[in-house]
Amino acid sequence: MAIITEKALPSLPPPAHTVGFKAWAKQNLFATPTNSVITVLMVLFILWALIPVVQWAFIDADWAGTKRTDCTSGGACWAFTLVRFNQFIYGFYPEAEQWRVNVAALILAVGLGLLMYKKTPAKAYIGLFMVIIYPVIAFILLRGGFFDLPVVETSKWGGLTLTLVLSIVGIVASLPLGILLALGRRSELPIIRSLCIAFIELWRGVPLITVLFMASVMLPLFLPEGTSFDKLLRALIGITLFEAAYLAEVVRSGLQAIPKGQYEAGKALGLSYWQSTGLVILPQALKLVIPGIVNTFISLFKDTSLVMIIGLFDLLNIVQIAAADPIWLGSQVEGFVFAAIVYWMFCFGMSRYSQYLERQLNTGHKR
Amino acid sequence: MENNVAIQLIGVNKWYGEFHVLRDVNLNVERGERIVICGPSGSGKSTMIRCINRLEEHQQGQIIVDNVELTNDLKNIDQIRREVGMVFQHFNLFPHLTVLENCCLAPMWVRKVPRKEAERVAMEYLEKVKIPHQAKKYPGQLSGGQQQRVAIARSLCMNPRIMLFDEPTSALDPEMIKEVLDTMIELAESGMTMLCVTHEMGFAKTVADRVIFMDGGQVIEMNTPDEFFNHPQHERTQLFLSQILAH
Ligand SMILES: Nc1ncnc2c1ncn2[C@@H]1O[C@H](COP(=O)(O)OP(=O)(O)O)[C@@H](O)[C@H]1O
Ligand SMILES: [Mg+2]
């Protein structure tokens, strides 16, 4: 039997019970009896776990005081973190010079903010400024020795400042190196390929703590007598080479996902190897592995705390030292909670930004 | 030395490992000639045209394109690739670039054309392939037929003297094949030297000057379309034609 539809049906609004909070809750939280029971149990569990934390951190907390015994309410002794806050941020950087750290951080924040904001004009120039000129400015500000700025030895740098210096330099220096290593590992030239494989496998096979220890204790033994080599610089080189090996493998996985046709189209159009790598292959490969790259950055950020074994005072180390002060004895938990919150804020920020970036770069090409 | 020969293959042999994929291939293509290459799958059609712009390397014989011989000299390879455009079965557009950027990339970086000029030329070619209004879109947002037409425009933006097509319509839904073929017919009428691997026999009949039939890595038969379709000489050609014309 033939069916013929003569009239197009109008589009109607969805039935009322499929929209709004009540509908959402019904669909997601109370869809079946089992579902409802699980929801109730989970809510009870969250309350059971959360109430003591809130009690400790806020209700019973002490905010004022100059020594541990001033904290008498039985909750968190935030007085400790407040009194030592300056040290947590700047380490042993002289107070009179701390404005220099602030200026460097401010330029960094403004630069990054402009780069992340979608509609900023002339992003390429800001990017070049941040990658080429800013490191010089930051170095002059932090270290001093130019324009009447007194020298602040790197051994005085510490706290969050040092953590950020280590991780930002590590991130910025290891990414290009990792990309080159990944390209080298896929090179058609056997010597380059073998060298890259050897480098990657060597550095990936060693714990970071060993690398740092070797950089700090063993490297001086091999250097000619009398050459001294900044300890922070040695740690930075160790971290950079170590992370570059990891990033190389992340980037390589992205390179492998690019279809052969992309290389062929580049060649057929007459693009050189470096042109098609830089303009066609890498933009796609890096976009694919943003989650992996950011994952590596996040772990790098937290791994910088390992520099404590070579006697650098990063955020975690300085918190630990402060908590060992006899007048604050027993304040370790507060110190570590503070450090954890700071680490978390930075790592979560990176994670959110990477998700935002992935969405921005999505060009509707789903495979 | 300027002469009328666009492409010359002289005794070309190629192996993939032990596998002898091209066997003594000889071919002369004159400027402005349109050649259609057909043959069963695996007969070496793609390999042959990919040797012409050195996506594959031949091991024996000579390939001379636009009076430049393909050797290991990178300068020659670069020069030839600038003059030879290629359109692939799977388009191979750059998914992270817009249609316009796809078209401007090579002219800007290889030919060093300023961006404004490159965009103007790109829009001209996009107009020719009838998709100027999609210029700001990404390839992933276009249909297969549209993507293939962009790929043709992208090649033309380099102003090539020779165009190679490797089964440009085989990955397309039937209703999109015509729009791509129309673009190719227009290009053929403009006097472009073209080598097309295709099984679109209607296209071969309308535009080809010569049809080549390949099998087992050899050129089995080469003739005008008229002769080729009406009086195929070799029995393998006859068999092939009976198979593809059957449906
Ligand atoms: N990269 C390669 N390595 C080894 N064998 C290949 C390669 N590319 C193609 N071949 C083989 O060479 C033969 C010819 O391939 P191809 O030129 O793609 O044929 P056609 O395009 O005519 O279908 C096929 O048998 C194919 O399996
Ligand atoms: Mg083929």
Side-chain angles (χ1 to χ4, degrees):
Chain A
M1 199 182 84
I3 297 177
I4 298 160
T5 306
E6 301 250 339
K7 205 176 72 177
L9 295 176
S11 99
L12 301 170
H17 63 268
T18 60
V19 289
F21 174 76
K22 250 172 120 176
W24 177 86
K26 173 125 181 54
Q27 252 173 35
N28 292 286
L29 301 176
F30 303 103
T32 64
T34 330
N35 224 332
S36 309
V37 171
I38 293 175
T39 301
V40 170
L41 284 177
M42 289 315 278
V43 168
L44 287 177
F45 173 77
I46 291 170
L47 288 178
W48 174 79
L50 213 57
I51 288 171
V53 172
V54 172
Q55 177 110 21
W56 176 81
F58 299 104
I59 300 169
D60 292 345
D62 285 293
W63 296 84
T66 50
K67 51 186 187 300
R68 178 74 198 187
T69 42
D70 291 342
C71 295
T72 49
S73 316
C77 183
W78 296 124
F80 165 66
T81 44
L82 289 175
V83 168
R84 294 298 185 119
F85 189 76
N86 189 276
Q87 213 181 43
F88 291 171
I89 303 299
Y90 303 101
F92 303 113
Y93 210 92
E95 266 198 81
E97 306 296 330
Q98 284 173 3
W99 63 270
R100 284 153 53 177
V101 179
N102 296 343
V103 172
L106 185 71
I107 303 175
L108 179 69
V110 171
L112 285 184
L114 285 175
L115 285 178
M116 287 178 184
Y117 183 59
K118 209 173 137 196
K119 292 185 198 126
T120 309
K123 262 191 188 170
Y125 294 105
I126 300 176
L128 279 180
F129 171 83
M130 290 309 288
V131 171
I132 296 167
I133 301 174
Y134 175 73
V136 179
I137 296 177
F139 178 78
I140 291 174
L141 276 171
L142 291 179
R143 174 100 201 310
F146 298 87
F147 314 112
D148 295 337
L149 292 175
V151 173
V152 179
E153 293 297 341
T154 55
S155 55
K156 293 234 171 66
W157 302 11
L160 181 62
T161 309
L162 183 69
T163 296
L164 287 177
V165 167
L166 285 166
S167 37
I168 292 171
V169 174
I171 285 171
V172 172
S174 63
L175 185 59
L177 189 58
I179 292 173
L180 286 178
L181 283 167
L183 292 172
R185 191 165 186 168
R186 286 166 58 85
S187 164
E188 282 165 16
L189 307 171
I191 297 185
I192 292 182
R193 192 172 55 232
S194 319
L195 282 176
C196 290
I197 293 177
F199 180 96
I200 292 168
E201 296 305 338
L202 177 76
W203 287 89
R204 277 205 312 168
V206 182
L208 180 55
I209 218 162
T210 319
V211 172
L212 290 172
F213 198 69
M214 300 247 287
S216 137
V217 179
M218 297 193 48
L219 199 63
L221 300 180
F222 297 113
L223 291 172
E225 198 77 34
T227 38
S228 82
F229 197 153
D230 191 87
K231 198 201 263 179
L232 175 60
L233 184 59
R234 278 180 273 152
L236 281 172
I237 293 173
I239 289 176
T240 301
L241 297 181
F242 181 84
E243 298 295 340
Y246 271 93
L247 281 171
E249 288 299 281
V250 174
V251 173
R252 190 167 69 97
S253 71
L255 291 174
Q256 254 155 356
I258 305 300
K260 214 168 121 236
Q262 294 288 309
Y263 292 88
E264 289 177 351
K267 279 187 190 171
L269 285 167
L271 297 174
S272 71
Y273 171 80
W274 288 108
Q275 285 172 340
S276 64
T277 301
L279 299 166
V280 176
I281 305 301
L282 275 180
Q284 297 182 57
L286 292 179
K287 186 185 108 184
L288 277 177
V289 295
I290 288 173
I293 290 177
V294 174
N295 199 26
T296 310
F297 285 169
I298 287 177
S299 86
L300 183 156
F301 187 79
K302 294 183 293 184
D303 283 351
T304 56
S305 59
L306 291 172
V307 296
M308 84 165 56
I309 71 134
I310 58 169
L312 293 176
F313 301 102
D314 74 301
L315 176 62
L316 196 63
N317 199 12
I318 216 142
V319 164
Q320 207 156 336
I321 289 170
D325 185 338
I327 62 167
W328 287 111
L329 227 46
S331 305
Q332 249 171 357
V333 177
E334 288 83 349
F336 284 132
V337 167
F338 173 79
I341 291 171
V342 174
Y343 278 108
W344 182 83
M345 284 192 322
F346 280 95
C347 294
F348 187 65
M350 283 193 261
S351 160
R352 296 307 302 203
Y353 181 65
S354 95
Q355 285 169 24
Y356 167 80
L357 202 60
E358 274 180 76
R359 275 197 306 277
Q360 286 298 306
L361 295 176
N362 181 10
T363 56
H365 188 89
K366 288 264 178 335
R367 249 190 301 259
Chain B
M1 187 188 76
E2 190 72 7
N3 61 23
N4 232 7
V5 184
I7 305 170
Q8 220 175 350
L9 275 72
I10 307 166
V12 171
N13 279 285
K14 174 173 174 61
W15 289 261
Y16 285 123
E18 290 286 301
F19 177 57
H20 198 171
V21 56
L22 291 182
R23 306 179 187 194
D24 190 32
V25 173
N26 290 286
L27 178 65
N28 256 304
V29 182
E30 287 187 9
R31 279 191 203 295
E33 235 189 331
R34 280 92 47 156
I35 294 192
V36 163
I37 302 160
C38 58
S41 173
S43 56
K45 309 179 296 292
S46 300
T47 307
M48 185 182 86
I49 72 163
R50 288 157 60 86
C51 280
I52 293 170
N53 64 352
R54 217 3 120 95
L55 290 184
E56 300 289 352
E57 199 176 324
H58 63 287
Q59 281 114 15
Q60 252 179 32
Q62 275 183 299
I63 298 181
I64 301 163
V65 183
D66 220 20
N67 296 314
V68 179
E69 177 166 2
L70 265 177
T71 56
N72 282 326
D73 190 343
L74 288 179
K75 239 179 65 210
N76 286 2
I77 296 176
D78 282 343
Q79 190 183 341
I80 286 171
R81 283 181 181 162
R82 275 199 293 272
E83 302 306 330
V84 178
M86 184 168 214
V87 175
F88 300 86
Q89 181 175 358
H90 295 288
F91 333 133
N92 297 352
L93 292 176
F94 305 134
H96 63 301
L97 299 178
T98 63
V99 164
L100 190 61
E101 289 166 340
N102 261 279
C103 292
C104 294
L105 190 74
M108 281 168 58
W109 289 88
V110 180
R111 293 222 194 267
K112 316 287 181 210
V113 178
R115 176 184 289 273
K116 277 249 160 59
E117 173 67 6
E119 285 183 352
R120 192 187 60 73
V121 172
M123 284 312 291
E124 233 167 66
Y125 282 113
L126 287 174
E127 209 115 1
K128 253 188 203 147
V129 301
K130 305 195 173 60
I131 26 183
H133 37 279
Q134 316 277 22
K136 291 278 181 296
K137 286 197 183 164
Y138 287 95
Q141 297 166 312
L142 304 185
S143 74
Q146 291 173 322
Q147 290 192 48
Q148 193 60 296
R149 284 183 285 147
V150 172
I152 294 172
R154 176 175 75 174
S155 279
L156 293 178
C157 284
M158 280 295 281
N159 202 8
R161 308 178 71 159
I162 298 166
M163 285 287 287
L164 309 174
F165 292 82
D166 192 358
E167 307 208 28
T169 55
S170 322
L172 297 177
D173 292 334
E175 79 269 21
M176 294 172 186
I177 291 179
K178 187 174 174 302
E179 61 188 56
V180 171
L181 287 182
D182 285 348
T183 308
M184 290 170 61
I185 290 171
E186 214 167 287
L187 186 62
E189 282 164 356
S190 75
M192 176 68 75
T193 309
M194 288 166 67
L195 257 76
C196 308
V197 176
T198 180
H199 292 145
E200 293 298 328
M201 291 305 138
F203 174 78
K205 281 177 196 162
T206 13
V207 304
D209 295 309
R210 275 187 291 165
V211 181
I212 292 177
F213 174 71
M214 283 184 78
D215 196 7
Q218 282 179 294
V219 174
I220 301 283
E221 192 162 339
M222 171 152 48
N223 220 329
T224 60
D226 242 9
E227 286 294 305
F228 183 84
F229 289 112
N230 298 329
H231 310 288
Q233 306 291 312
H234 201 287
E235 63 180 297
R236 275 195 266 175
T237 318
Q238 291 160 2
L239 179 69
F240 176 75
L241 285 177
S242 69
Q243 278 167 350
I244 69 165
L245 296 178
H247 46 234

